[in-house]
Amino acid sequence: MDLLEYQGKQLFARHGLEVSRGRPAVTVEEAVEAAAEVGYPVVVKAQVLIGGRGKAGGVKLAADEGEVREHAGNILGMDIRGHVVHTLWIEHASDISSEYYASVLLDRSAKAPLVMFSVEGGIEIEQVAEESPDKLVRWHVDALEGLSHSEALQIANKGRADQDVQEGVAKALQALYRVFVEEEATLAEINPLIVTPEREVRALDAKVTLDDNALFRHPDNQDLSDTQNQDPIERRARQEGLQYVKLDGDVGILGNGAGLVMSTLDVVAQAGGSPANFLDAGGGADADKIRQAVELILSNSAVRAVLFNIFGGITRCDEVAKGLIAAFSEIKPTLPFVVRLDGTNAEEGRELLREAALAGVHPARTMDEAAEMVVALAAGSNGASVAG
Ligand code: GDP
Ligand code: MN
């Protein structure tokens, strides 16, 4: 999970890394209030999950309220290489003497955390690595030992940080390393790490990627996901514990088990159709979960027909049938559904569907047959009225 700059800075502050004071804002009025609170001059910064915001016009200095209004108005709604700005971060502007670079990431090939430091900050680190590799210090850390103060000082020294701030840089590197380890990040990057005229060392930007597989150990961090920028249907799915990914087609898909759902996408594509989503109901989905899944699939207005492909294992096909029947009585969908039930309690499930005689539900025996049927129904105009 990638964090927005200001969320990354919250984690930085938690571990003793210096950051400027700031406030988030989602409207121009909020930006003006935030600026008054943090004190002028301020920087108005687009919060999107992509770098190079400065060059794109998404980072602007503002000396007074008029300038905050102007910049906030311009930046909100701005599209930065496909990322629309919904949130701003208003922070007290810093005076900058030098821009350094620091990061900690997981070097998988070395099976160790890697600390990188350079006095050539503020530009893409790939460019530094290419043009002046001698100016980029790469330092592997023994994960069991951690990053000691003397090691951090050696990194600052090797990278030729100004003599008088090497102590400050070392402290920043150690704090960044703590962020990396204690928050279970796979990347923690500061670009630029600035030196102020007062010779303070401070993180002016933050790029943090948290390890999704470790998030359950960090309940505080689970709320940091960028819900504003998520697809609203995907956001709802996450809340309901369903694995849903929106795709661009018109055939709604539900299956149980990621492997089965992926094969279902493949057979639908092979039959000439175009899937509208990936949706894994997971193992042991009960009737209620299935009803929620149907609601999710149908909330995508591009969907013209739906394919249920269930291979019962822990999931019982009769539960799936009950969920589908419940969904039909509540939502009364007018789209055709193709249902293939196989495995645990498949016969009971099919029997339930036969008894319910839901309009528009078409049973299929095999996956290939199901795919052909659903693609034809999605293409046909009167598919919705055909009774199963
Ligand atoms: P990025 O372009 O997405 O990497 O956004 P950054 O947060 O790194 O900001 C881009 C550039 O804006 C920085 O490299 C700085 O040169 C400049 N900048 C950001 N904040 C300040 C600030 O508080 N004061 C000054 N003078 N410049 C800033
Ligand atoms: Mn930056």
Side-chain angles (χ1 to χ4, degrees):
M1 181 170 88
D2 295 329
L3 301 188
L4 294 169
E5 171 198 359
Y6 83 94
Q7 298 170 325
K9 283 180 169 170
Q10 286 172 14
L11 297 190
F12 285 0
R14 206 186 269 175
H15 295 275
L17 194 56
E18 282 303 320
V19 291
S20 306
R21 63 179 180 277
R23 299 266 185 285
V26 295
T27 63
V28 172
E29 287 312 316
E30 277 184 29
V32 168
E33 270 173 45
E37 277 178 48
V38 302
Y40 288 98
V42 298
V43 204
V44 180
K45 307 186 78 175
Q47 297 298 291
V48 281
L49 297 175
I50 194 161
R53 296 164 299 161
K55 268 189 214 146
V59 176
K60 293 284 183 189
L61 282 161
D64 53 39
E65 186 181 319
E67 290 186 1
V68 168
R69 274 186 199 286
E70 179 191 339
H71 296 316
N74 288 339
I75 298 174
L76 279 170
M78 181 184 275
D79 185 318
I80 301 182
R81 301 203 301 287
H83 296 249
V84 177
V85 182
H86 299 289
T87 306
L88 299 172
W89 175 243
I90 311 296
E91 93 175 10
H92 185 67
S94 303
D95 291 328
I96 303 176
S97 291
S98 314
E99 297 195 332
Y100 294 168
Y101 171 92
S103 65
V104 183
L105 54 96
L106 184 62
D107 182 348
R108 290 175 197 276
S109 57
K111 301 193 178 79
L114 174 65
V115 175
M116 293 203 281
F117 173 74
S118 176
V119 292
E120 298 279 308
I123 52 173
E124 296 282 313
I125 197 59
E126 288 80 4
Q127 195 181 329
V128 178
E130 188 143 310
E131 290 167 10
S132 33
D134 51 309
K135 288 200 169 158
L136 178 62
V137 181
R138 296 164 51 90
W139 187 286
H140 284 106
V141 179
D142 181 327
L144 294 177
E145 298 287 333
L147 182 69
S148 70
H149 187 63
S150 77
E151 271 183 296
L153 266 176
Q154 285 179 65
I155 296 170
N157 185 263
K158 205 163 166 244
R160 297 183 200 281
D162 289 349
Q163 198 72 46
D164 64 322
V165 293
Q166 287 187 4
E167 180 67 30
V169 168
K171 288 214 165 99
L173 290 174
Q174 282 191 287
L176 190 62
Y177 189 78
R178 283 196 298 276
V179 170
F180 177 81
V181 171
E182 289 170 30
E183 304 294 340
E184 299 194 73
T186 52
L187 170 71
E189 180 184 70
I190 311 171
N191 192 18
L193 176 70
I194 60 158
V195 180
T196 68
E198 296 76 36
R199 313 308 284 165
E200 273 174 36
V201 176
R202 187 184 305 157
L204 214 63
D205 193 3
K207 184 173 175 190
V208 176
T209 305
L210 297 176
D211 183 347
D212 291 333
N213 295 320
L215 264 186
F216 72 97
R217 281 194 287 262
H218 304 272
D220 293 0
N221 292 348
Q222 284 168 9
D223 304 331
L224 296 177
S225 73
D226 184 15
T227 46
Q228 277 255 312
N229 291 321
Q230 252 174 30
D231 181 272
I233 308 179
E234 288 185 9
R235 192 189 324 160
R236 220 177 104 198
R238 187 178 287 231
Q239 283 162 2
E240 287 167 3
L242 291 161
Q243 298 290 328
Y244 177 99
V245 180
K246 189 159 175 280
L247 303 169
D248 339 324
D250 57 6
V251 178
I253 307 277
L254 176 98
N256 61 317
L260 181 67
V261 179
M262 289 204 260
S263 326
T264 310
L265 300 182
D266 282 346
V267 294
V268 166
Q270 270 162 24
S274 180
N277 66 272
F278 171 103
L279 176 49
D280 176 7
D286 58 12
D288 193 48
K289 198 111 186 223
I290 297 297
R291 185 189 49 75
Q292 285 174 351
V294 173
E295 279 179 24
L296 265 181
I297 293 171
L298 296 179
S299 58
N300 174 1
S301 58
V303 171
R304 302 193 48 200
V306 180
L307 172 54
F308 263 48
N309 188 14
I310 303 293
F311 192 86
I314 306 170
T315 306
R316 291 164 37 199
C317 291
D318 55 328
E319 278 291 318
V320 173
K322 279 181 200 158
L324 188 59
I325 293 164
F328 263 70
S329 72
E330 268 178 47
I331 314 165
K332 303 190 172 50
T334 53
L335 299 170
F337 277 61
V338 174
V339 181
R340 178 234 177 187
L341 299 176
D342 208 344
T344 310
N345 292 3
E347 194 39 58
E348 289 85 337
R350 287 192 212 110
E351 183 55 35
L352 282 170
L353 288 181
R354 258 195 302 276
E355 281 169 13
L358 306 174
V361 171
H362 308 254
R365 280 175 301 114
T366 68
M367 205 155 130
D368 288 333
E369 184 191 61
E372 304 258 323
M373 281 171 74
V374 80
V375 170
L377 286 163
S381 52
N382 63 349
S385 60
V386 177

